[in-house]
Amino acid sequence: MPPQTFGKAINQALTQAMELSPDVMVLGQLVDYKSGVFGTTTGLVERFGPERVQDFPVSEGLMTSAAIGAALVGMRPVIVHQRIDFMMYSLDAIVNWLSLMRFKSNGHSNLPVTIRAIVGKGWGQGPQHSKSLHAWFAHLPGLKVAVPATAYDAKGLLLESIFGEDPVMIIEHRSLYSMTEDVPEAPYRVRFGHAHVRRRGKDVTLVAIGSMVPMALRAADQLASESIDVEVVDLRTLSPLDDGTVCESVSKTKRLVVADPAWRSVSVAAEIIALVSERLGDKLLANPQRICFPDSHTPMSAPLEKEYYPDEARMVQVVRKASLE
């Protein structure tokens, strides 16, 4: 398996999906530019033509509606939003149409639309380019939500989405695009609803989402030097959520910390702590903890941004405290 960056793995998945099926098409602003969208769509228009790789005006709602129409006549569109913040203009199409079709048609109709939404992080992205809104969409029935943390999962989850039968939102953190991992060249699919235990441990369960996963693994390595054995669970998909793997891990360690790259209140972290407390509350040896963003918009200045985002030292501190209670 040759090493690939996270961004290159996405490009490879799109290329292979379009080779496998003439029904796959890609829509989005600047998807047909030579540079692609952070390199993820580079080369597609040259290979598959403008009918299947279409630049789109700055009209997010129209683009999503066009994809819904294309899916209704048998296409498998992939929409690319360079920033999830501006995807909000397409909420009516997503909430009132895309997520409802299977329910409203009594299971007779489906919309295999894949939405790639990118989250900016670091480099002074500020409050309009860095929102982490995965909890919003995981709350919505009828829509699957994935947050890949590795190049392998980025490719496999994207192919699973494109060739699945339901609408999917894949939320990609820009900070992961340069990360490298061995990725099979052949097409493969990563199933939804299956979390991955990235590191085995017996003292604390550290559930991590998306960009928090690499940090969780580094924190676990550091804590291992203090003889604190941390189990790191990468959720991979938020809807469906693999509650079985999370509860199995916490049943073993009896301690839980959740690292969620989003605002603290009403977060996926809060949901995970709630479900574990409901099922295993009387078995826990310490109060569950969450590592999230403050309930405030992202500052643009570098010093404030550094304070805003949780870092590895903060994660080590929280997990260490949980292990000692």
Side-chain angles (χ1 to χ4, degrees), residues 7-24:
K8 180 63 180 174
I10 292 171
N11 180 266
Q12 190 177 72
L14 291 172
T15 302
Q16 292 177 344
M18 298 183 82
E19 289 172 344
L20 289 167
S21 171
D23 295 334
V24 178

Side-chain angles (χ1 to χ4, degrees), residues 19 41 65 67 69 72 75 85 100 115 148 154 166 172 210 224 227 232 261:
E19 289 172 344
T41 61
S65 299
L72 281 171
M75 300 298 289
D85 312 62
L100 284 179
I115 301 175
D166 293 302
E172 305 162 6
S227 299
V232 177

Side-chain angles (χ1 to χ4, degrees), residues 275-294:
L275 77 86
V276 169
S277 299
E278 288 168 352
R279 299 182 192 179
L280 304 170
D282 59 342
K283 296 181 175 59
L284 295 175
L285 298 177
N287 291 330
Q289 302 291 327
R290 48 185 151 161
I291 301 166
C292 301
F293 303 163

Side-chain angles (χ1 to χ4, degrees), residues 252-289:
K252 178 177 61 176
T253 64
K254 297 180 173 52
R255 294 177 171 86
L256 171 65
V257 176
V258 184
D260 182 0
W263 296 314
R264 177 183 176 86
S265 298
V266 202
S267 59
V268 172
E271 172 63 23
I272 293 168
I273 289 174
L275 77 86
V276 169
S277 299
E278 288 168 352
R279 299 182 192 179
L280 304 170
D282 59 342
K283 296 181 175 59
L284 295 175
L285 298 177
N287 291 330
Q289 302 291 327

Side-chain angles (χ1 to χ4, degrees), residues 199-306:
R199 188 185 195 282
R200 297 285 177 184
K202 59 181 176 55
D203 294 329
V204 181
T205 295
L206 176 54
V207 175
I209 299 169
S211 60
M212 288 289 198
V213 173
M215 189 191 303
L217 291 170
R218 293 195 300 271
D221 286 342
Q222 183 174 332
L223 287 161
S225 65
E226 304 174 20
S227 299
I228 299 172
D229 196 9
V230 180
E231 181 150 299
V232 177
V233 178
D234 174 3
L235 285 181
R236 303 206 284 193
T237 67
L238 307 180
S239 178
L241 181 68
D242 186 359
D243 50 354
T245 295
V246 173
C247 287
E248 182 180 349
S249 177
V250 178
S251 295
K252 178 177 61 176
T253 64
K254 297 180 173 52
R255 294 177 171 86
L256 171 65
V257 176
V258 184
D260 182 0
W263 296 314
R264 177 183 176 86
S265 298
V266 202
S267 59
V268 172
E271 172 63 23
I272 293 168
I273 289 174
L275 77 86
V276 169
S277 299
E278 288 168 352
R279 299 182 192 179
L280 304 170
D282 59 342
K283 296 181 175 59
L284 295 175
L285 298 177
N287 291 330
Q289 302 291 327
R290 48 185 151 161
I291 301 166
C292 301
F293 303 163
D295 291 333
S296 172
H297 294 295
T298 312
M300 185 167 288
S301 82
L304 292 176
E305 189 181 52
K306 187 177 180 181

Side-chain angles (χ1 to χ4, degrees), residues 16 39-40 42 57 88 132 156 165 183 320 323-324:
Q16 292 177 344
T40 61
T42 300
M88 297 303 102
S132 292
E165 298 304 323
V183 176
R320 182 191 293 125
S323 73
L324 296 175

